Amino acid sequence: MDLASFKELSAKVNSSLILQTTLGVAVLSHLYRSWRNRIDVPTYGGILSFSRLLSTVRLAMEGGDIWRTSYAKYPMILVPSPERWAVVVRGKYIDELSRAPDDVLSFTEATHDSLRLRYSLGTTTAEEHEYHIHVVRQNLTKRLPALFPEVYDEVIHAFGEDLQFDGAEWKEVEFLSWIIPVVAKASNRVFVGLPLCRDKEWLSLVIDGAVSCIKTAAIINLFPEFMHPIVGPLISKVQSRKRKAAELARYLIDDRLKLAPEDRPDDYISWLLSAAPPEEQNAEDITQRIISTNFAAIHTSSLNMTHTIYWLLSRPEYLDPLREEIESVTSQMGWTKAAISSMPKLESFMKESMRLSPLAPHTMNRKVVKPFTFSNGVSLPVGATVGIHLYATQVDEDYYPEPLQFKGFRFVEEENGDHKEAENVASLKSRNSMYAISRSYLGFSYGRHAWQVAAIRSCRKKKTDDCFSPGRFFASMELKTMFAYLIANYDMKWPDSVSNGKDGYRPADIWMGAGLIPDPKGRILIRERSQWNWRLVSRINAIHSMGALVIPYMEGSVVLLS
């Protein structure tokens, strides 16, 4: 072997040795960090626990059973998701999590890790200026009764435009895909108003923002942290979506900027402009806020509505009493915010749906930014993630009798129990509403960060209750309006090809990572109810409220005046 060949071989050997050494150091470093940051709680996964991805797949396949078992067996357990391992604890520790300051257990850091917001929704100065939280609390929530007619009008338009029935024909629809545009239109009737809320380009933009956010985050979280700055920009649509949104909404924002604040329309865009710092009073930043708000408004409301409809079609015995309540209340009060809030059976049914089919197995997720120790002595290192059991808490028999049984009027029975004092009815109604939160009902989370819609991208710096967002009040009003309108005006059932005539059929929920979603391919049959019957029922209810006796007779009714 000549000298040149020897040098070439030596170079190859050295390169290979360097690569092997580097990989070896990286593996040893990872193992050391894992050992140093180990958490003294049981770990889900068994033989597969060495791989977060494989453990996540197994967890999804086992579904609700494993969450109930883990909840019953362990006060705390380490569970996987595509982006991280998380310590999930029982409700007895809920106050310890809720009271921890944001610079110790951070909601925002956990949200950023889960949704990769820089690449899925985009980051702006929202982390420094949190005025949109104030807008939701002080403007949006306080004006819900005045905003209801707008939402109701858009619900009527959206359902009518999308279905376009011809007579009494049944139409088959993929429910989740169908309801997403309806939710988008109703929400944006408030966010941007007519005519933009019906603009196809705008709707496509905000729906894509809501749907692609989850997909983008899921793809990025398949890669190691150090690769996120490479992968993120390659798949992100944030910049193009931001430019397009600004183009479509610019005229609305510019028109308002030309007016003195006191002369502007009393609407969501004007509220944002009045609260925004001078450097953010422009189309790009304001529309970015609106797109971010749309994410939670569309994504969560569409999934919750789909869960609810699936439960209704699987329990058709609830349809008539729900319809009777809706028709009775609206015949006396009309379609108003007050009327929607006066339907305890409808409220209970939707709350029961959210109890058995929450959108995630755990909630109140926080990232540890300073070392934290629970009262039982378990310490969490910086970088760990922790949360509270959601699904398992809401099927705990200590809180709910027969917890795995769907009882649509479960909360009506509690409210109307004989042992309740009359003077306590108002407070009980409030506590049992679908947006009320408690240690046993975590559908809208719990504590300061309970169901943040507008505040999802902030709260990094503040340590006060300013991070609480009341967006759930708007969401619950919107959901109840859509659900009540569907029941009052449409007949719905499963196609025979789907249910095969099986009583109680309901498409299986899908457990995936940190989510619990309804079957996105679930199809239903829907047709318009006879408007003649609907008007007749309204009149009958009005007569009945004056003391008449109503006797059902075939498809109509006979009214006997008392």
Side-chain angles (χ1 to χ4, degrees), residues 57-82:
V57 173
R58 179 182 175 183
L59 183 65
M61 293 175 65
E62 292 190 291
D65 291 342
I66 191 62
W67 287 101
R68 295 193 300 272
T69 301
S70 299
Y71 175 86
K73 193 172 182 181
Y74 306 113
M76 300 179 174
I77 186 171
L78 197 62
V79 297
S81 64

Side-chain angles (χ1 to χ4, degrees), residues 462-476:
K462 292 191 177 181
K463 304 174 185 177
T464 70
D465 285 356
D466 288 345
C467 294
F468 171 78
S469 171
R472 68 187 192 275
F473 299 111
F474 171 69
S476 63

Side-chain angles (χ1 to χ4, degrees), residues 3-147:
L3 183 59
S5 298
F6 178 76
K7 289 182 177 180
E8 183 180 351
L9 179 60
S10 296
K12 290 181 179 179
V13 170
N14 288 336
S15 298
S16 177
L17 183 61
I18 291 171
L19 178 60
Q20 292 176 33
T21 302
T22 302
L23 290 174
V25 170
V27 170
L28 290 173
S29 176
H30 172 74
L31 292 174
Y32 173 71
R33 286 196 304 272
S34 298
W35 175 81
R36 186 185 62 186
N37 293 328
R38 69 192 183 282
I39 302 171
D40 190 21
V41 299
T43 300
Y44 170 82
I47 195 173
L48 297 179
S49 60
F50 71 91
S51 168
R52 189 179 69 222
L53 182 59
L54 292 177
S55 296
T56 300
V57 173
R58 179 182 175 183
L59 183 65
M61 293 175 65
E62 292 190 291
D65 291 342
I66 191 62
W67 287 101
R68 295 193 300 272
T69 301
S70 299
Y71 175 86
K73 193 172 182 181
Y74 306 113
M76 300 179 174
I77 186 171
L78 197 62
V79 297
S81 64
E83 69 275 7
R84 63 197 173 193
W85 287 90
V87 178
V88 181
V89 305
R90 286 182 187 160
K92 65 178 292 185
Y93 301 102
I94 195 168
D95 287 331
E96 295 181 45
L97 286 187
S98 179
R99 292 170 183 167
D102 290 334
D103 62 352
V104 176
L105 300 181
S106 173
F107 165 83
T108 305
E109 295 289 346
T111 304
H112 274 257
D113 284 355
S114 176
L115 295 178
R116 301 298 167 189
L117 295 172
R118 177 181 298 277
Y119 309 110
S120 58
L121 287 179
T123 55
T124 66
T125 51
E127 292 170 6
E128 285 74 36
H129 303 294
E130 299 171 352
Y131 60 85
H132 52 298
I133 306 171
H134 176 83
V135 166
V136 172
R137 178 187 295 110
Q138 297 298 324
N139 300 100
L140 179 63
T141 301
K142 290 183 178 180
R143 286 169 171 77
L144 289 183
L147 290 170

Side-chain angles (χ1 to χ4, degrees), residues 80-233:
S81 64
E83 69 275 7
R84 63 197 173 193
W85 287 90
V87 178
V88 181
V89 305
R90 286 182 187 160
K92 65 178 292 185
Y93 301 102
I94 195 168
D95 287 331
E96 295 181 45
L97 286 187
S98 179
R99 292 170 183 167
D102 290 334
D103 62 352
V104 176
L105 300 181
S106 173
F107 165 83
T108 305
E109 295 289 346
T111 304
H112 274 257
D113 284 355
S114 176
L115 295 178
R116 301 298 167 189
L117 295 172
R118 177 181 298 277
Y119 309 110
S120 58
L121 287 179
T123 55
T124 66
T125 51
E127 292 170 6
E128 285 74 36
H129 303 294
E130 299 171 352
Y131 60 85
H132 52 298
I133 306 171
H134 176 83
V135 166
V136 172
R137 178 187 295 110
Q138 297 298 324
N139 300 100
L140 179 63
T141 301
K142 290 183 178 180
R143 286 169 171 77
L144 289 183
L147 290 170
F148 178 86
E150 299 287 312
V151 174
Y152 177 60
D153 181 67
E154 200 58 36
V155 166
I156 296 174
H157 176 270
F159 283 137
E161 180 185 58
D162 291 346
L163 290 172
Q164 295 183 346
F165 287 100
D166 182 16
E169 64 175 318
W170 288 96
K171 284 194 174 183
E172 186 170 334
V173 297
E174 192 174 273
F175 189 80
L176 180 58
S177 298
W178 173 63
I179 203 65
I180 286 175
V182 175
V183 174
K185 291 173 184 176
S187 300
N188 281 275
R189 179 67 178 263
V190 172
F191 299 152
V192 298
L194 288 170
L196 191 57
C197 68
R198 297 177 185 175
D199 183 273
K200 291 183 179 179
E201 282 190 277
W202 176 262
L203 289 171
S204 176
L205 199 72
V206 296
I207 291 172
D208 177 71
V211 175
S212 69
C213 175
I214 303 298
K215 293 180 180 178
T216 299
I219 294 172
I220 293 174
N221 283 324
L222 293 175
F223 293 86
E225 188 89 26
F226 72 88
M227 292 188 66
H228 292 179
I230 301 172
V231 177

Side-chain angles (χ1 to χ4, degrees), residues 175-176 179-180 183 296-312 349-360 390 394 434 441 443-444 451 472 475-476 479-480 482-483 506 516-518:
F175 189 80
L176 180 58
I179 203 65
I180 286 175
V183 174
I298 295 172
H299 178 72
T300 55
S301 294
S302 299
L303 294 177
N304 277 321
M305 180 57 64
T306 304
H307 274 309
T308 303
I309 290 296
Y310 285 2
W311 278 116
L312 178 63
F349 190 94
M350 299 191 77
K351 184 170 183 176
E352 180 73 347
S353 172
M354 292 179 66
R355 183 188 71 84
L356 273 178
S357 298
L359 300 185
L390 168 53
Q394 294 187 168
M434 63 178 286
Y441 179 73
F444 288 105
W451 218 64
R472 68 187 192 275
S476 63
L479 283 170
K480 287 187 288 186
M482 288 189 291
F483 189 45
R506 185 181 187 276
L516 172 57
I517 65 172

Side-chain angles (χ1 to χ4, degrees), residues 280-510:
E280 280 206 51
Q281 294 182 14
N282 59 72
E284 287 74 14
D285 286 317
I286 295 298
T287 52
Q288 183 64 26
R289 303 272 177 165
I290 296 171
I291 293 292
S292 297
T293 305
N294 263 289
F295 160 67
I298 295 172
H299 178 72
T300 55
S301 294
S302 299
L303 294 177
N304 277 321
M305 180 57 64
T306 304
H307 274 309
T308 303
I309 290 296
Y310 285 2
W311 278 116
L312 178 63
L313 298 196
S314 71
R315 304 292 189 274
E317 65 272 17
Y318 286 100
L319 182 57
D320 284 343
L322 285 170
R323 190 170 276 165
E324 288 170 6
E325 177 182 72
I326 295 164
E327 293 171 352
S328 175
V329 172
T330 55
S331 68
Q332 298 175 50
M333 304 176 67
W335 284 89
T336 62
K337 170 68 167 58
I340 290 296
S341 300
S342 302
M343 300 177 183
K345 291 181 180 178
L346 180 132
E347 188 121 33
S348 175
F349 190 94
M350 299 191 77
K351 184 170 183 176
E352 180 73 347
S353 172
M354 292 179 66
R355 183 188 71 84
L356 273 178
S357 298
L359 300 185
H362 53 90
T363 187
M364 287 185 68
N365 299 308
R366 305 287 190 269
K367 184 174 182 178
V368 182
V369 292
K370 290 181 183 178
F372 178 82
T373 301
F374 282 104
S375 58
N376 66 350
V378 172
S379 295
L380 303 181
V382 172
T385 301
V386 61
I388 291 281
H389 278 285
L390 168 53
Y391 167 74
T393 297
Q394 294 187 168
V395 293
D396 186 337
E397 61 183 6
D398 288 341
Y399 296 130
Y400 301 100
E402 299 180 289
L404 296 180
Q405 297 297 315
F406 184 91
K407 296 184 176 182
F409 299 152
R410 180 186 297 270
F411 300 100
V412 173
E413 293 165 357
E414 290 182 3
E415 184 174 319
N416 293 338
D418 293 337
H419 62 288
K420 306 298 183 185
E421 297 293 336
E423 58 266 29
N424 292 332
V425 169
S427 62
L428 287 168
K429 181 179 179 181
S430 175
R431 187 162 64 247
N432 285 334
S433 64
M434 63 178 286
Y435 53 75
I437 54 177
S438 69
R439 289 176 174 81
S440 60
Y441 179 73
L442 303 168
F444 288 105
S445 191
Y446 185 84
R448 296 195 306 280
H449 301 284
W451 218 64
Q452 298 193 63
V453 173
I456 195 168
R457 300 175 55 239
S458 56
C459 307
R460 182 190 295 271
K461 296 189 175 182
K462 292 191 177 181
K463 304 174 185 177
T464 70
D465 285 356
D466 288 345
C467 294
F468 171 78
S469 171
R472 68 187 192 275
F473 299 111
F474 171 69
S476 63
M477 182 188 79
E478 186 179 63
L479 283 170
K480 287 187 288 186
T481 302
M482 288 189 291
F483 189 45
Y485 188 81
L486 274 173
I487 292 174
N489 291 277
Y490 298 95
D491 292 318
M492 295 169 284
K493 65 179 182 179
W494 298 119
D496 289 337
S497 59
V498 170
S499 65
N500 295 317
K502 181 181 177 182
D503 290 338
Y505 168 80
R506 185 181 187 276
D509 292 332
I510 299 174

